Amino acid sequence: VKTRGGRRWSAFDAELRAENERRHTLEAELRRAIPAGEIEPWFQPVVDASSGRFVGVEVLARWNHPEQGLLAPAAFVPIAEELGIIGRIDEAVFEAACARAAPWVAAGLIESISCNVSPRDLLDPAFSRKLIGRLARTALPATALTVEITETFLLQDLGLARRHIERLAAKGVRIALDDFGTGYSNVRALMNLPIQTVKLDRSLIEAVGRDARVSKLVSSMLHAARALGVGIVAEGVEEEAQALFLRAAGCDRMQGYLFARPMPAEAMERQLREGLSL
Ligand code: C2E
Ligand code: CA
Ligand code: CA
Ligand code: CA
């Protein structure tokens, strides 16, 4: 019994060591990848529910890893957050995204671009000031930028959140509350902060049309948003039936595989130009 336990323990130990090594490698690679420009913006269109037209894009980071190929944020965002370098990724992605998408806005192909920021970024008291400075050096008008924040952050430090949000709002930058419906869904924060948009999480949209109670909940959320003058984007719309339900319930905007998957800048630009000529 003793030896078996010991063996089991050492197998566990070896696994831990291997895991540690993987993390160290990833960490070193990530630190190199940011200045090397390996992390780039991809784009997913946001669709106007009534006309079906693309009205905006959400910027989603992808890591073009030299050996592993294309990596989604789940493979590197959490570790970058732990290492305290997510801010550098968000800056790099923001700058590259503005360079690619500012011409789309200028040409009237879309109204706005949305960028994700980590709750970690927002804990930096200088975050909003730095973002406004960076934005001023791009060709994108402040009113064409939406910053997507999550509720986690509102719960962490509401005072700091308010300062950042009000500073950005004063410049005309729009704020969207991401992943709404997954956490506390702090409706009071919505009433007290200049937040223009709420993004209904995919987990809710998934159950729409299947689960009568979720459908009712989503309808009443859409109703409440209208009453508060807040726009809604439904995320992760994959099926026609979901889109039909959402449109009937008065949803403004949708995003999801039903319309388009995230894609590189060149493909996005092609689709936007084709859409215009239809
Ligand atoms: P998110 O902001 O909630 O982004 C939506 C995610 O849902 C994206 O995953 C998108 O590809 C995926 N998605 C869109 N439509 C559908 C659909 O119809 N079905 C399904 N199953 N999924 C759909 P992605 O690109 O893997 O990004 C995951 C998360 O990583 C994002 O969630 C966001 O929180 C974070 N993220 C992405 N880019 C950045 C970034 O530049 N900086 C930071 N800090 N976080 C980022
Ligand atoms: Ca988002
Ligand atoms: Ca989301
Ligand atoms: Ca998210």
Side-chain angles (χ1 to χ4, degrees):
V1 175
K2 208 175 170 191
T3 34
R4 254 169 80 198
R7 227 177 264 139
R8 220 181 273 150
W9 181 252
S10 64
F12 177 68
D13 217 38
E15 201 162 291
L16 254 184
R17 261 200 308 277
E19 172 61 26
N20 244 323
E21 221 160 273
R22 270 196 297 276
R23 285 181 58 92
H24 275 293
T25 313
L26 189 65
E27 178 180 340
E29 287 176 341
L30 198 51
R31 290 188 190 278
R32 181 193 44 74
I34 303 167
E38 285 174 18
I39 299 179
E40 53 177 42
W42 278 39
F43 300 87
Q44 184 181 35
V46 178
V47 175
D48 177 79
S50 47
S51 68
R53 290 192 36 178
F54 293 168
V55 287
V57 291
E58 178 176 4
V59 177
L60 296 160
R62 293 292 181 269
W63 181 2
N64 234 317
H65 192 284
E67 284 117 40
Q68 295 180 52
L70 201 67
L71 298 179
F76 61 92
V77 165
I79 187 166
E81 283 178 331
E82 256 175 66
L83 294 170
I85 57 173
I86 186 65
R88 284 161 50 201
I89 293 180
D90 288 349
E91 277 170 40
V93 169
F94 172 77
E95 268 164 20
C98 286
R100 300 306 303 244
W104 306 341
V105 173
L109 297 172
I110 50 169
E111 291 162 13
S112 66
I113 83 169
S114 289
C115 287
N116 290 287
V117 300
S118 162
R120 279 263 340 204
D121 298 346
L122 291 150
L123 290 174
D124 174 0
F127 166 78
S128 40
R129 218 170 14 79
K130 287 196 268 187
L131 181 63
I132 289 164
R134 270 198 300 282
L135 178 61
R137 289 191 295 275
T138 73
L140 191 77
T143 50
L145 176 68
T146 298
V147 171
E148 299 195 0
I149 63 172
T150 55
E151 296 172 84
T152 335
F153 170 64
L154 294 182
L155 296 171
Q156 263 167 350
D157 188 340
L158 191 58
L160 185 59
R162 177 181 298 283
R163 276 204 301 288
H164 285 321
I165 291 171
E166 284 176 350
R167 243 188 242 148
L168 290 168
K171 293 286 170 188
V173 174
R174 297 171 158 265
I175 308 293
L177 199 55
D178 208 350
D179 304 341
F180 197 75
T182 53
Y184 276 92
S185 300
N186 193 339
V187 175
R188 276 195 57 194
L190 282 180
M191 291 193 283
N192 294 320
L193 291 168
I195 288 172
Q196 293 83 9
T197 307
V198 158
K199 300 193 76 171
L200 280 191
D201 194 68
R202 179 162 63 89
S203 55
L204 284 175
I205 305 308
E206 220 165 30
V208 153
R210 272 193 205 110
D211 182 328
R213 289 169 61 198
V214 174
S215 302
K216 271 190 194 143
L217 177 66
V218 168
S219 287
S220 64
M221 284 168 110
L222 286 163
H223 189 79
R226 262 199 308 282
L228 293 170
V230 171
I232 291 256
V233 179
E235 288 192 296
V237 179
E238 294 183 348
E239 295 163 15
E240 194 67 54
Q242 294 164 343
L244 286 172
F245 174 89
L246 289 163
R247 191 153 31 154
C251 181
D252 306 319
R253 289 177 176 195
M254 300 181 211
Q255 206 181 329
Y257 294 171
L258 176 66
F259 309 103
R261 289 183 178 247
M263 62 189 100
E266 302 74 43
M268 189 71 256
E269 182 161 332
R270 218 176 307 126
Q271 286 212 15
L272 290 173
R273 295 200 184 279
E274 275 165 15
L276 197 71
S277 63
L278 283 181

